[in-house]
């Protein structure tokens, strides 16, 4: 989200996961279906790239038990990419990562912290974007309903909000938060829109954005990790990985 000084500059810091991915041959769709002559419909491996901006976000995501040291999900390698803070860093780092053989056809999730815009939101609530927005346009997200269901199971009792996630080039506070809410957005962060736009520019692929509210209209923070709201958001972010992996696996299910 960019609410803390950690990761304020360019900081591409990827945790590779599993063996290098050789790329998808022509005829294999981003969702894993193989249409080449004589080939079965058995899904091809599909890497998953989880992009975040800050070191504290990366720490939470890499600390999840379901990723572990191997970073391997049965459907393909899983990597966490720290892009650095802000849309320019996110766009550049995502494009560079997706230009490698390992991630060329990867599904992409933008994750980390965000600022909630809806009154009644609390630190630790989850936001699942149905689209990301910024001045450059709108990017629809893949499998929003599945992510909502998976997160509800993984984190019972936590609020899960769905709607547009808008992008900003700076930390949003006070009256500006209300103005963004008036556009219909449910939350704002600095990197998700740029990350997903960059991902689709590199080629067709499933994309999603899942954020954890670290501050909200009634709970504004100055620094992540200095108050209970920041600690709560960190713990929730550490627990989202099972839902991400469920979404990842669903991409390889045969489409009817």
């Amino acid at each position: 989200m960019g609410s803390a000084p950690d990761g304020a500059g360019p900081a591409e810091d990827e945790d590779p996961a599993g063996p290098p991915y050789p790329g998808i041959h022509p005829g294999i769709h981003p969702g894993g279906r193989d249409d080449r002559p004589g080939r079965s419909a058995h899904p091809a491996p599909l890497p998953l790239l989880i992009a975040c901006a800050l070191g504290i976000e990366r720490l939470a995501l890499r600390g999840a038990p379901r990723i572990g040291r191997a970073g391997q999900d049965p459907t393909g390698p899983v990597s966490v990419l720290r892009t650095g803070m802000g849309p320019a860093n996110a766009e550049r780092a995502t494009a560079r990562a997706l230009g490698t053989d390992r991630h060329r056809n990867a599904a992409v999730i933008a994750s980390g912290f965000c600022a909630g815009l809806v009154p009644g939101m609390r630190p630790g609530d989850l936001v699942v974007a149905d689209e990301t927005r910024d001045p450059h346009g709108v990017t629809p997200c893949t499998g929003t309903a599945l992510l909502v269901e998976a997160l509800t199971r993984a984190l019972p009792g936590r609020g899960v909000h769905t709607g547009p996630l808008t992008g900003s080039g700076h930390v949003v506070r006070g009256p500006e938060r209300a103005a963004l809410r008036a556009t219909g957005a449910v939350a704002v962060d600095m990197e998700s829109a740029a990350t997903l736009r960059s991902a689709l520019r590199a080629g067709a692929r499933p994309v999603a954005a899942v954020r954890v509210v670290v501050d909200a209209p009634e709970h504004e923070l100055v620094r992540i990790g200095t108050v209970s709201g920041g600690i709560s958001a960190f713990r929730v972010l550490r627990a989202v990985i099972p839902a991400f992996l469920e979404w990842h696996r669903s991409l390889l299910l045969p489409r009817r």
Side-chain angles (χ1 to χ4, degrees):
M1 166 191 151
S3 294
D6 183 11
E12 291 178 49
D13 186 7
E14 178 199 335
D15 267 323
Y21 184 71
I24 292 181
H25 294 278
I28 300 183
H29 295 230
R33 190 176 75 252
D34 191 342
D35 286 346
R36 290 176 293 169
R39 301 288 178 144
S40 72
H42 186 71
L46 180 72
L48 173 61
L49 182 66
I50 304 169
C52 62
L54 304 178
I56 192 171
E57 295 168 336
R58 176 180 173 273
L59 179 64
L61 292 163
R62 284 298 300 177
R66 291 292 294 276
I67 284 188
R69 302 180 99 183
Q72 187 75 19
D73 185 55
T75 52
V78 180
S79 301
V80 178
L81 173 70
R82 178 188 169 201
T83 65
M85 195 168 81
N89 286 331
E91 188 167 357
R92 182 168 49 247
T94 302
R96 186 169 293 128
L98 295 176
T100 66
D101 284 345
R102 170 187 291 278
H103 300 119
R104 197 171 307 279
N105 297 286
V108 175
I109 296 179
S111 194
F113 302 126
C114 70
L117 300 177
V118 180
M121 278 184 167
R122 300 182 62 83
D125 281 3
L126 290 142
V127 172
V128 182
D130 57 15
E131 64 182 35
T132 59
R133 304 172 173 175
D134 68 4
H136 299 282
V138 174
T139 301
C141 295
T142 309
T144 299
L146 190 148
L147 275 167
V148 169
E149 292 171 5
L151 288 164
T152 301
R153 286 192 296 271
L155 291 148
R158 286 286 173 186
V160 181
H161 307 266
T162 306
L165 175 61
T166 195
S168 173
H170 56 274
V171 177
V172 173
R173 302 194 186 282
E176 190 175 3
R177 194 190 298 261
L180 289 174
R181 174 57 186 156
T183 70
V186 297
V188 57
D189 79 297
M190 298 174 66
E191 296 85 23
S192 291
T195 296
L196 300 197
R197 183 176 62 253
S198 181
L200 291 180
R201 186 181 296 133
R205 71 191 70 245
V207 295
V210 177
R211 293 275 171 172
V212 180
V213 174
V214 74
D215 67 346
E218 294 90 1
H219 302 274
E220 286 200 347
L221 301 182
V222 177
R223 295 171 60 89
I224 295 175
T226 59
V227 298
S228 60
I231 296 170
S232 175
F234 178 88
R235 289 173 176 165
V236 171
L237 187 61
R238 194 174 185 272
V240 299
I241 290 299
F244 289 2
L245 298 185
E246 185 174 337
W247 177 84
H248 185 212
R249 286 190 291 271
S250 79
L251 300 175
L252 301 185
L253 294 175
R255 298 296 190 262
R256 296 186 182 276

